[in-house]
Amino acid sequence: MQVRTILRILGLLVALFSVTMLPPAVLAYFYQDGGGWAFLSAFIVSLLIGFFLWYPNRLFKRDLKTREGFVIVVLFWVVLGTVGAIPFWMPDEHTLSFTDSMFESFSGLTTTGATILVGIDELPHAYRYYRQQLQWLGGMGIIVLAVAILPLLGIGGMQLYRAEIPGPVKDAKMTPRIADTAKQLWYIYLGLTIACAAAYWFAGMTPFNAIGHAFSTVAIGGFSTHDASMGYYDNPAIPMIGVLFLLIAAVNFSLHFAAFPRMHRKRVDGQTHYDWSIGSVQTYFRDPEFRALIIIQFSLMVIVVSTLLFHQQFTNTLDNIVHGIFQAVSISSTAGFTTADYTVWPVFLPMILIFASFIGGSAGSTGGGLKVVRVLLLYRQGVREMNRLIHPKGVFTVKYGKRPLPDRVVQAVWGFFAAYALLFVILMLLFIATGLDDYSAFGATAATLNNLGPGLGVVGANFTEVSMAGKWIAMLAMVFGRLEIFTLLVLFSPAFWKQ
Amino acid sequence: MQVRTILRILGLLVALFSVTMLPPAVLAYFYQDGGGWAFLSAFIVSLLIGFFLWYPNRLFKRDLKTREGFVIVVLFWVVLGTVGAIPFWMPDEHTLSFTDSMFESFSGLTTTGATILVGIDELPHAYRYYRQQLQWLGGMGIIVLAVAILPLLGIGGMQLYRAEIPGPVKDAKMTPRIADTAKQLWYIYLGLTIACAAAYWFAGMTPFNAIGHAFSTVAIGGFSTHDASMGYYDNPAIPMIGVLFLLIAAVNFSLHFAAFPRMHRKRVDGQTHYDWSIGSVQTYFRDPEFRALIIIQFSLMVIVVSTLLFHQQFTNTLDNIVHGIFQAVSISSTAGFTTADYTVWPVFLPMILIFASFIGGSAGSTGGGLKVVRVLLLYRQGVREMNRLIHPKGVFTVKYGKRPLPDRVVQAVWGFFAAYALLFVILMLLFIATGLDDYSAFGATAATLNNLGPGLGVVGANFTEVSMAGKWIAMLAMVFGRLEIFTLLVLFSPAFWKQ
Ligand SMILES: [K+]
Ligand SMILES: [K+]
């Protein structure tokens, strides 16, 4: 284990992360409503932490192996989650307990969006902004992780997205290619955020709220600058903008990457030519996961809206449609924004929305859950089993796109599903042990493991009623969910630590 | 599809089944407390049904193919479930509605053990006996199905238990071997029942109750001749006898079959010798599923008893131990007998017991749930995934006993798991749509799909509070569970009906 190389990288990350404490400090100065001292001192503390991690190890620059990849990915989230908690913990009139600070920071950075805060509207702008920014940074982190790193580690079938698919997984080195990919993804992510913020602004949000909600929308995070979440706004254009950008953010960013305008340099007859290429709508529709995402989202909208209309949940038809579409997308994509208290909606609506959050977003998106591609592969396996029973002599392969799936990928997806189910049961029992009732424990597990945010029962709106032990279990579940279970799980295996 | 051959077989089955209406009729005559007319007329009606199914088709005796195997297995349960409802439906002072009659009969025959009856202690002996007998017959049916038929159909990885494991599944004919195997299993089942009844009797039950409870114990059914179930008896010997025989009944009957004393005829030097062989304890402990069953049951007992002791649920230490062990085995084996209202036990006990019922009994036992062997295989796959992530260059095979598992079996188990999970979600949403609250709907789905019996919330004790639509969904779930999902599911596939 290249401990010192890992520490060097972490030091750099923390130092870089400390800079993100400055915009809230500037906001505090601008609005003069408090929080400035907390963020300035948090900046200094985290910069020092980063420095003292980096400085003694600055000369260690060895290549990292796959095993170290797991460690660094887990540490990335755990260390940044901890450093991110510092501003909340700083002693001023808005100080939180250590547990609550950690909860809010981890919930932000993992894009879960569960909160222990009430009275968010009355908080200083610095805090209100910082929470949104945490989600945005976490969303960026997860895209780089999912698109560039997990395929190399081969987590849960994600080697599906590697260039060199079949064959045994190589003990791949962490290549500089990750940095290139990350930079391009960053442009796309930034572009989407700007577009989303502009749209919210035009629809009537203040610039402060527009940027804040754009941050948590493209991150599928669910934090809001208001206690009432998106329900704060009367204008139906705002939830519809949210739906549009949530759907875009729930798509695999590899597809956006492929469809992104790009310049190619060609040399023809000794002369250099520059060509621009851009992907088309086909780039998206050729992808089986994208098609499945659209079908799932559309079906869910129809079910939710028609049930609301049938039960006349809102007196106004438009309200049934807007709230229905918004909650369908917000919960199933695992954003967790609310415009209405969907947990009291008629018959099976709360439960079907929570179940939909288990599917979640696409792989390589900022959404949580099992991911659409895995559910699609599980479904196709189930259909194959049926066909095999009906035609025992037939030969059936499971395809993804036009290629038959390698067994290795299929098995990894199954292993992922089993681990997810087992972990769900264990976490739910742990939540019950901390004093939650069974129903709320189910909601809390789904809310955290799926990185959804709001649950059911006492955790329907926030986690203030959860005990200290329960909050720590929630944080554990968030990290498990965000790191696709196995990234964290392998660290608990004795075999991992044997040389 | 050999429709007329299928009808001939069904006719014979129904005629044979009609004979089982006679013992309750005899009991009614003996006790003179009613029900005689209901059972006599039910006997005649079902005999006539059987006759009119058989007579026109008596000459059709073609061999059946795999596809027809699915149809006949499903019809077996549906038709006998319907015919079994006739006595409840007969108009006398104890008559039930059509739905309730069907519910009680399906719940009995599928060994689910959920009931819509209250005041069972006051019912005529004929009814009290008949319900127990339904479970016993259902238990016998499921063992023959699981040991002799499902391996041929290849449902959910059960080709694991076929002699000729690897290679494609043959479009096997339903061989006369099934009849031989069935006969031997019948002796074992009968022997266990007699031993169990004798033990209950010695421990203080009346012969009537001893036989009744022995029926529903070896069938892991859970029906009782008392409203209070096993809680009717103060004597701790009775639940302990129940635990012993439930554990025996939760073992794969193929193992009992292998360990059963047997006579072999050998010819040595022109002379005929008779040898007796008998299996040993090793026969059991060599089986990976048996070892897993023992580990699961023992761990659960320890968790439940120690939690009860810690929380002083009962004032008496012995009570904590006896009730703890009994409920651990009764719920996890999917029997569903109760000596105490475990749904109000402290912290996570109700939920962990319900989760344990998802594992259920061994394949080829009378228990429900996913079956121990499948959970074991899922677990080993998960471990292999971990190992592959840690050692990407390693080659890991999943073994069962000493043999590596064929991919075909592993994939079938995964397909089974995915179908089970999906079906669970759909059934739970349907239960909610019929008016159950989310929590009770979860309990009702687990209670029926796992063939457990009692659930949580309003279905914690019985199904009397469930709407008519909910009862039909419950019946559907029971049959799905008992027929290992796919046997019934394939019939819903258009591909199945295409020639
Ligand atoms: K979220
Ligand atoms: K049962």
Side-chain angles (χ1 to χ4, degrees), chain A residues 99 102-103 106-107 110 112 114-116 427 430-431 434 436 444-445 447-451 453 459 463 466-482:
Chain A
T99 299
M102 289 289 277
F103 184 94
F106 272 81
S107 176
T110 58
T112 304
T115 184
I116 42 75
L427 288 167
L430 287 175
F431 273 121
T434 69
L436 281 184
T445 314
T448 52
L449 192 62
N450 293 342
N451 297 119
V459 296
F463 274 64
V466 177
S467 70
M468 197 173 95
K471 285 170 185 163
W472 285 98
I473 291 163
M475 284 181 245
L476 183 70
M478 291 172 195
V479 177
F480 260 120
R482 194 69 290 184

Side-chain angles (χ1 to χ4, degrees), chain A residues 96-302:
Chain A
L96 298 177
S97 72
F98 177 64
T99 299
D100 283 357
S101 303
M102 289 289 277
F103 184 94
E104 203 68 9
S105 174
F106 272 81
S107 176
L109 214 58
T110 58
T111 77
T112 304
T115 184
I116 42 75
L117 289 174
V118 282
I120 295 168
D121 297 76
E122 285 78 46
L123 279 179
H125 284 76
Y127 289 103
R128 293 171 74 199
Y129 170 85
Y130 178 67
R131 294 170 71 243
Q132 307 302 114
Q133 183 186 266
L134 273 179
Q135 296 227 300
W136 190 59
L137 295 168
M140 183 63 220
I142 201 62
I143 289 173
V144 173
L145 181 71
V147 174
I149 301 175
L150 291 185
L152 291 178
L153 300 182
I155 299 281
M158 290 303 101
Q159 57 272 65
L160 183 64
Y161 295 109
R162 289 170 63 190
E164 63 286 54
I165 286 177
V169 178
K170 280 186 248 163
D171 198 0
K173 289 176 186 173
M174 298 288 142
T175 58
R177 194 172 62 81
I178 293 177
D180 285 348
T181 312
K183 206 170 73 182
Q184 300 236 33
L185 290 171
W186 158 250
Y187 289 139
I188 296 169
Y189 192 67
L190 184 67
L192 270 180
T193 311
I194 292 170
C196 182
Y200 279 140
W201 184 38
F202 287 133
M205 281 192 190
T206 64
F208 174 83
N209 288 314
I211 292 170
H213 285 99
F215 278 172
S216 57
T217 301
V218 296
I220 313 196
F223 269 166
S224 171
T225 52
H226 308 295
D227 282 322
S229 187
M230 291 279 194
Y232 180 87
Y233 300 97
D234 258 346
N235 177 358
I238 284 174
M240 288 305 102
I241 291 167
V243 163
L244 176 68
F245 281 93
L246 283 177
L247 288 177
I248 293 173
V251 171
N252 191 329
F253 271 64
S254 302
L255 288 181
H256 296 318
F257 187 79
F260 203 60
R262 188 166 318 180
M263 200 173 62
H264 305 272
R265 196 168 60 175
K266 273 193 281 187
R267 285 191 68 83
V268 180
D269 302 330
Q271 280 192 296
T272 307
H273 291 263
Y274 292 93
D275 261 358
W276 281 84
S277 77
I278 183 164
S280 63
V281 176
Q282 283 184 359
T283 313
Y284 292 97
F285 277 94
R286 263 199 303 267
D287 184 59
E289 185 182 27
F290 179 81
R291 293 197 302 266
L293 175 75
I294 297 301
I295 291 168
I296 291 167
Q297 292 291 338
F298 184 74
S299 314
L300 197 63
M301 286 180 202
V302 170

Side-chain angles (χ1 to χ4, degrees), chain A residues 153-154 169 347-348 351 355 384-386 388-390 392 407-408 411-412 414 425 432 438-439 486 493, chain B residues 153-154 169 347-348 351 355 384-386 388-390 392 407-408 411-412 414 425 432 438-439 486 493:
Chain A
L153 300 182
V169 178
V347 287
F348 49 65
M351 207 40 93
F355 279 135
R384 174 167 74 169
E385 260 331 287
M386 291 257 291
R388 277 177 167 170
L389 290 172
I390 296 167
D407 278 351
R408 186 69 193 75
Q411 288 162 6
W414 285 119
V425 169
I432 295 172
D438 297 352
Y439 184 59
F486 278 104
S493 157
Chain B
L153 300 184
V169 178
V347 286
F348 49 65
M351 208 41 91
F355 280 135
R384 174 167 74 165
E385 260 329 288
M386 292 258 291
R388 278 177 167 172
L389 289 172
I390 297 167
D407 278 351
R408 188 67 193 78
Q411 288 163 5
W414 285 119
V425 168
I432 295 173
D438 297 352
Y439 184 60
F486 278 105
S493 157

